[in-house]
Amino acid sequence: MFFVLLIPALLLIVYCGIIVLYTKWFRRLKLFTGIASEDSCFFSVIIPARDEEANIANCLLSILNNHYDKNLLEIIVIDDHSTDNTAKIITGLQQQHDCIRLIAMKDLVSPEEKINSYKKLAIQKAIALSKGDWIITTDADCMVPGNWLKNFNAFIRETNAVFVAAPVRFINSGSFLSIFQCLDFLSLQGITAASVSAGFHSMCNGANLCYKKSVFLEVDGFKGFEHLASGDDMFLMRKIQKQYPDRTRYIFSQDSIVSTLPMPTVKTFINQRIRWASKADSYDDKKVIAVLFVVYFFNLGFLFLLIAGCFNPLYFVWLLVFMAVKIAFEMNFMRYVCRFFGQEAILKYFPLMQPFHIAYTLISGWLGKFGTYQWKGRQVN
């Protein structure tokens, strides 16, 4: 039995050590509260949108309601072949707000052109047509806070950053699936805040990113990974981090948190996570790959113990012991993360979600490597 438990036990020790590091880094983060005396950065906010008639108006209005000089703002929405009223809604808002621009992908892309990542292409086309010195990306189903732009402006001026990763949270609707996604996403966001601020990982989320346009052009944008369906955020961050290691930062501010909707169904949730996992073996950040390796095989260890328990019930006991240790270390980390993101109320569900989280980690990780998935009505390789 000792040798059967040896590898899972070693993985448990390494995994818990990683969580302790993330907790330490997260706890030492200091809230950014600086507000620049004047608006000075010209921001081009870029929003790719495909069939987002239910969300795009709220997204645009939340940006327009920011306390920022509208002469230093343009909002570029790239309509990615929508089949609903997305373009019509944007056009209606354009008539009231001069800073909104609508670009149709169908006018920029040949029907014969083979594309695996429409989102990266949409962002790149929009950047080429943008007027701002700074690019901000978000998603069409996001809502931004009132000081979102002011915070980016102040942070850039104070830190001299050229790339700024920023926090994102899911909106909890109260359903099991919603709570599960909120907790899962909070853990990813907590790791992002901790590891980026510590200079350990290059992690971010394209729903809330800001970078200097000239730097994007300097590193040749998405060149080198434009064929990958995902990665408009982390791969770009990695390229810029190599050029500017001390100017790639994370803004730790509750006034900078962008809120977005979780996936409405299990199918769309799994497809989203497979899309995220599909880029894992393309990272050149060895520390990210090492952590992903530990996490995947640590979770695989639970499946191994479950199978072993069918032959010897004592393995079920060890499975529960390992699970309890895992939960204890993660809960300690998550309570700080949930507090920052204002979602402490759902932390009580965290232990109950563990079996589902392990199963989904194994499934999405496997399919991300060997499977295909659908995203926005398209089959992706």
Side-chain angles (χ1 to χ4, degrees):
M1 178 180 288
F2 172 78
F3 293 104
V4 174
L5 292 173
L6 181 60
I7 292 178
L10 288 174
L11 287 170
L12 174 65
I13 293 169
V14 175
Y15 180 81
C16 290
I18 292 170
I19 298 300
V20 168
L21 270 180
Y22 289 148
T23 306
K24 176 184 176 182
W25 292 336
F26 193 89
R27 290 190 65 186
R28 74 183 187 192
L29 287 170
K30 294 182 179 180
L31 289 172
F32 177 76
T33 57
I35 297 295
S37 58
E38 60 179 313
D39 302 339
S40 58
C41 295
F42 191 138
F43 293 116
S44 293
V45 180
I46 294 177
I47 309 169
R50 176 174 169 83
D51 294 338
E52 293 284 358
E53 64 178 5
N55 304 309
I56 191 62
N58 288 333
C59 175
L60 292 174
L61 289 172
S62 72
I63 299 170
L64 291 166
N65 288 334
N66 259 243
H67 315 301
Y68 200 75
D69 186 349
K70 298 302 183 290
N71 293 316
L72 296 172
L73 170 67
E74 68 170 349
I75 305 171
I76 304 176
V77 185
I78 314 96
D79 179 24
D80 182 9
H81 303 87
S82 294
T83 58
D84 61 4
N85 291 318
T86 297
K88 184 177 179 181
I89 293 169
I90 298 166
T91 302
L93 286 170
Q94 267 188 303
Q95 296 173 3
Q96 306 169 46
H97 304 278
D98 295 337
C99 60
I100 297 177
R101 298 171 62 189
L102 174 62
I103 299 173
M105 280 282 282
K106 65 181 180 181
D107 297 333
L108 303 174
V109 180
S110 167
E112 293 79 27
E113 189 174 349
K114 290 186 178 180
I115 302 169
N116 201 46
S117 178
Y118 282 84
K119 185 177 182 181
K120 280 199 285 287
L121 183 60
I123 294 172
Q124 190 146 312
K125 295 286 187 183
I127 290 175
L129 298 170
S130 65
K131 300 174 183 176
D133 301 315
W134 290 87
I135 304 299
I136 298 179
T137 61
T138 191
D139 294 333
D141 59 354
C142 289
M143 298 279 287
V144 309
N147 284 326
W148 186 53
L149 297 172
K150 273 195 175 296
N151 275 2
F152 274 131
N153 179 70
F155 191 78
I156 289 164
R157 293 183 62 180
E158 184 171 315
T159 65
N160 199 31
V162 297
F163 185 102
V164 184
V168 184
R169 68 181 165 207
F170 279 159
I171 299 167
N172 178 25
S173 66
S175 69
F176 175 90
L177 181 60
S178 174
I179 294 171
F180 181 86
Q181 290 181 77
C182 285
L183 286 168
D184 176 59
F185 196 64
L186 282 170
S187 68
L188 293 174
Q189 283 293 299
I191 291 168
T192 298
S195 60
V196 172
S197 298
F200 188 72
H201 290 323
S202 50
M203 294 180 67
C204 58
N205 189 287
N208 199 7
L209 279 187
C210 179
Y211 44 87
K212 200 168 186 177
K213 180 180 176 179
S214 60
V215 171
F216 176 86
L217 299 175
E218 179 186 338
V219 301
D220 289 328
F222 303 127
K223 186 177 181 181
F225 55 93
E226 63 267 41
H227 61 289
L228 298 172
S230 186
D232 54 283
D233 40 23
M234 289 177 63
F235 288 119
L236 177 62
M237 181 181 188
R238 182 62 177 161
K239 288 179 76 173
I240 293 176
Q241 188 181 52
K242 288 179 179 179
Q243 293 285 98
Y244 298 93
D246 298 324
R247 298 174 67 186
T248 304
R249 307 292 293 271
Y250 183 91
I251 181 170
F252 191 65
S253 168
Q254 290 163 323
D255 283 339
S256 295
I257 299 174
V258 161
S259 300
T260 187
L261 296 167
M263 293 296 102
T265 66
V266 173
K267 181 179 179 180
T268 54
F269 163 64
I270 293 296
N271 273 307
Q272 182 190 57
R273 294 309 199 267
I274 293 173
R275 179 171 68 95
W276 291 357
S278 66
K279 62 193 178 190
D281 60 356
S282 298
Y283 290 137
D284 68 350
D285 187 337
K286 293 180 181 179
K287 288 177 286 189
V288 171
I289 294 173
V291 170
L292 290 174
F293 179 90
V294 170
V295 170
Y296 190 82
F297 282 95
F298 172 60
N299 282 281
L300 189 62
F302 286 103
L303 178 60
F304 173 77
L305 290 173
L306 182 64
I307 294 171
C310 295
F311 301 95
N312 185 342
L314 282 176
Y315 288 114
F316 284 130
V317 176
W318 282 108
L319 185 152
L320 294 175
V321 171
F322 283 18
M323 182 78 75
V325 174
K326 175 181 185 290
I327 291 172
F329 277 82
E330 290 179 344
M331 283 281 285
N332 185 49
F333 172 63
M334 287 293 290
R335 65 192 179 101
Y336 297 108
V337 177
C338 289
R339 185 181 303 157
F340 169 74
F341 283 94
Q343 294 186 318
E344 301 101 317
I346 62 173
L347 186 59
K348 62 187 177 185
Y349 298 104
F350 188 76
L352 304 175
M353 301 291 183
Q354 288 296 313
F356 304 98
H357 190 268
I358 292 169
Y360 121 79
T361 299
L362 295 176
I363 292 169
S364 61
W366 179 264
L367 294 178
K369 174 64 177 175
F370 300 107
T372 60
Y373 60 94
Q374 284 193 340
W375 190 249
K376 296 288 185 177
R378 296 173 172 136
Q379 189 71 25
V380 182
N381 298 317

